[in-house]
């Protein structure tokens, strides 16, 4: 089970960039544009299966057994950091366990030894700031916001 623990209000493109892209110089539609930025960002994250700006996620599971070692592929990458992996004991207490992170064809895989379920907390995203998101993704977001803006009713 994957759960979002922490997000921030920073979007991968800024209002200033969107206004320049749309050639707007008015402040009348800031709320609309901010909503379109958020919608486009969510759509692109869902489509790519990636987190654009840093978010903290929590994943509970058992992983897949590979020769006596458990593996869990990190979803919603790119992976910034694995904060912790806790073993969930039968009495519902938790204990930190050792783990390693490996790269398998560009996908981060966490390995650990435990037959019990684990709770993994990790940070994912391209970085903390809009400039950390690759330029082609940022350009796609600007194009998508422009499409949303041109297609609005009213």
């Amino acid at each position: 089970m994957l759960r979002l623990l922490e997000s921030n209000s920073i979007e991968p493109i800024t209002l200033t960039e969107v206004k320049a892209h749309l050639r707007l110089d008015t402040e009348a539609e800031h709320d609309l544009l901010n909503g379109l930025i958020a919608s486009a960002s969510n759509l692109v994250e869902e489509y790519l299966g990636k987190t654009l700006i840093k978010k903290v996620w929590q994943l509970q599971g058992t992983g897949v057994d590979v020769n006596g070692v458990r593996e869990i592929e990190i979803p919603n990458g790119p992976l910034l950091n694995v904060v912790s992996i806790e073993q969930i004991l039968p009495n519902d207490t938790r204990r930190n366990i050792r783990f390693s992170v490996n790269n398998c064809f560009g996908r981060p895989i966490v390995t650990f030894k435990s037959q019990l379920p684990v709770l993994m907390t990790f940070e994912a995203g391209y970085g903390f700031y809009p400039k950390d998101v690759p330029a082609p993704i940022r350009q796609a977001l600007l194009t998508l916001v422009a499409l949303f803006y041109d297609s609005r009713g009213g």
Side-chain angles (χ1 to χ4, degrees):
M1 174 174 56
L2 183 65
R3 183 168 67 114
L4 180 63
L5 289 183
E6 181 184 311
S7 186
N8 58 54
S9 60
I10 298 173
E11 294 290 352
I13 54 175
T14 66
L15 180 62
T16 303
E17 291 170 319
V18 167
K19 287 176 65 175
H21 184 75
L22 295 173
R23 298 185 180 132
L24 298 175
D25 59 3
T26 178
E27 295 182 13
E29 296 183 303
H30 281 189
D31 289 342
L32 170 67
L33 294 174
N34 281 323
L36 297 178
I37 292 168
S39 294
S41 298
N42 289 335
L43 185 66
V44 167
E45 283 186 336
E46 283 289 322
Y47 179 78
L48 294 176
K50 296 187 179 290
T51 302
L52 300 180
I53 299 289
K54 181 198 155 244
K55 293 179 182 172
V56 179
W57 297 91
Q58 195 169 62
L59 179 66
Q60 183 175 336
T62 56
V64 177
D65 189 305
V66 179
N67 298 325
V69 176
R70 296 282 174 169
E71 293 184 349
I72 294 180
E73 181 178 341
I74 303 277
N76 296 8
L79 176 66
L80 290 171
N81 180 40
V82 175
V83 177
S84 67
I85 297 183
E86 299 173 311
Q87 190 176 45
I88 303 172
L89 301 172
N91 60 0
D92 206 29
T93 60
R94 297 181 182 145
R95 176 178 63 191
N96 284 328
I97 61 172
R98 296 176 66 163
F99 62 90
S100 63
V101 179
N102 303 297
N103 191 348
C104 181
F105 300 105
R107 297 178 315 205
I109 306 285
V110 174
T111 59
F112 55 93
K113 291 186 178 182
S114 174
Q115 297 303 316
L116 299 172
V118 296
L119 190 63
M120 176 173 44
T121 304
F122 64 95
E123 299 170 337
Y126 286 101
F128 300 90
Y129 306 104
K131 66 176 179 57
D132 297 327
V133 177
I137 295 174
R138 290 170 44 78
Q139 184 59 49
L141 285 166
L142 288 169
T143 302
L144 196 52
V145 169
L147 177 67
F148 290 168
Y149 184 79
D150 289 341
S151 301
R152 71 194 186 287

